[in-house]
């Protein structure tokens, strides 16, 4: 509260200080914005905010701040979106490939490919960069990888829309920690980079530069290869 906001002693309507209403300011703004836009357009609208509070998910999604283009930021984005889903905000997003100049030493090509592959299974897939930025300008090979990830996401849109519908009606998550579905499996508690998409897809994204294989944990259940649609995966830790 020391900078970047109203003075804590400032008064709002109703004779309440900003100190008491600071965290509710964004919530109230989102509520009013949602109601006004819905009335003007006579259809549901998408509102995104960076300032949210308990109950904000009824009116707005949460936009994670512009994260830097690093592998660590991509990992942290997963944790952030899982937290928001747990707290009733199923619509959440962070910028694909990060924001600003940087990357992983190759103009961000490998990082961006992996981030797009991750975004296939996220509530929203949004990407933008600074005007005039040369970062994220990729060759045709990288563009082909990104295009495949985007097309795969489009095939999942019916499932995603259905999950949003369930979230709206029953408060279900779109993304969830693995232990939500397997609470009796103690191993799932420590899985910070794997998550469940909708009710049925286990996602384990590549989060390290140059990785050609990784360890993935499959709880005790029947699992099918996502691309082959064949029952080829047995429970336990697998490297691939």
């Amino acid at each position: 509260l020391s900078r970047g906001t109203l003075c804590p002693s400032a008064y709002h309507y109703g004779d309440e200080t900003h100190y008491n209403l600071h965290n509710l300011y964004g919530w109230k703004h989102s509520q009013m914005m949602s109601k006004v836009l819905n009335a003007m357009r006579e259809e549901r609208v998408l509102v995104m905010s960076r300032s949210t509070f308990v109950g904000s998910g009824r009116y707005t999604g949460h936009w994670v701040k512009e994260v830097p283009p690093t592998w660590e930021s991509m990992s942290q984005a997963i944790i952030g979106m899982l937290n928001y889903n747990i707290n009733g905000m199923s619509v959440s997003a962070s910028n694909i490939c990060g924001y600003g100049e940087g990357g992983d030493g190759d103009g961000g090509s490998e990082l961006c490919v992996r981030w797009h592959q991750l975004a296939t299974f996220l509530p929203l897939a949004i990407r933008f960069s600074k005007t005039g930025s040369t970062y994220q300008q990729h060759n045709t090979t990288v563009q082909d990888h990104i295009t495949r990830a985007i097309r795969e996401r489009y095939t999942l849109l019916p499932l995603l829309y259905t999950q949003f519908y369930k979230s709206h009606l029953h408060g279900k998550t779109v993304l969830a920690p693995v232990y939500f579905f397997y609470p009796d499996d103690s191993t799932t508690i420590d899985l910070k980079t794997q998550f469940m998409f909708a009710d049925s897809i286990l996602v384990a994204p590549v989060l390290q530069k140059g990785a050609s294989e990784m360890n993935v944990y499959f709880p005790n259940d029947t699992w099918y290869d996502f691309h082959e649609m064949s029952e080829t995966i047995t429970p336990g830790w697998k490297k691939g």
Side-chain angles (χ1 to χ4, degrees):
L1 294 176
S2 62
R3 59 186 177 87
T5 185
L6 296 175
C7 178
S9 60
Y11 278 87
H12 288 265
Y13 178 80
D15 208 29
E16 282 287 348
T17 64
H18 186 71
Y19 181 85
N20 290 334
L21 298 180
H22 175 78
N23 289 335
L24 287 172
Y25 187 78
W27 178 90
K28 195 65 177 178
H29 183 274
S30 299
Q31 180 195 48
M32 186 57 63
M33 180 66 71
S34 177
K35 288 184 176 180
V36 170
L37 290 177
N38 283 326
M40 291 176 60
R41 296 176 60 87
E42 296 183 348
E43 60 184 16
R44 289 181 298 174
V45 297
L46 175 64
V47 177
M48 298 295 290
S49 174
R50 290 182 179 174
S51 178
T52 54
F53 192 65
V54 176
S56 291
R58 180 177 179 182
Y59 308 107
T60 181
H62 186 90
W63 174 256
V64 181
K65 67 178 183 178
E66 286 97 349
V67 297
T70 64
W71 293 88
E72 181 182 7
S73 294
M74 181 167 59
S75 298
Q76 292 175 344
I78 297 173
I79 297 174
M81 280 179 270
L82 288 175
N83 285 336
Y84 286 116
N85 268 262
I86 291 172
N87 286 281
M89 300 193 66
S90 57
V91 182
S92 58
S94 65
N95 189 32
I96 299 173
C97 302
Y99 182 79
E101 302 293 334
D104 51 10
D106 61 354
S109 295
E110 183 184 355
L111 175 63
C112 272
V113 168
R114 294 306 189 186
W115 212 318
H116 272 279
Q117 291 170 345
L118 165 63
T120 300
F121 305 98
L122 296 182
L124 291 179
I126 302 175
R127 177 178 174 179
F128 67 91
S129 59
K130 293 181 180 179
T131 302
S133 173
T134 58
Y135 173 56
Q136 300 183 21
Q137 294 181 3
H138 310 302
N139 59 41
T140 55
T141 301
V142 174
Q143 291 174 19
D144 288 343
H145 285 299
I146 291 175
T147 299
R148 281 198 293 271
I150 293 173
R151 287 176 175 170
E152 192 165 78
R153 176 176 174 82
Y154 270 89
T155 66
L156 291 170
L157 288 184
L159 175 62
L160 180 61
Y161 288 166
T162 299
Q163 199 64 20
F164 275 130
Y165 180 71
K166 292 179 180 179
S167 174
H168 175 70
L169 286 185
H170 309 298
K172 285 184 170 292
T173 57
V174 174
L175 307 183
V178 182
Y179 65 78
F180 263 41
F181 292 85
Y182 303 95
D184 295 329
D185 187 338
S186 59
T187 303
T188 62
I189 297 175
D190 295 322
L191 298 179
K192 295 181 174 58
T193 56
Q194 294 181 213
F195 60 89
M196 297 295 295
F197 173 74
D199 294 331
S200 54
I201 298 179
L202 175 65
V203 182
V206 177
L207 301 172
Q208 292 183 336
K209 179 178 172 60
S212 59
E213 61 180 15
M214 56 188 297
N215 289 318
V216 180
Y217 182 75
F218 294 89
N220 187 23
D221 211 330
T222 302
W223 298 98
Y224 295 84
D225 183 277
F226 179 74
H227 295 101
E228 300 297 330
M229 295 301 171
S230 58
E231 187 180 341
T232 58
I233 304 172
T234 55
W237 283 102
K238 305 296 176 184
K239 178 176 286 190

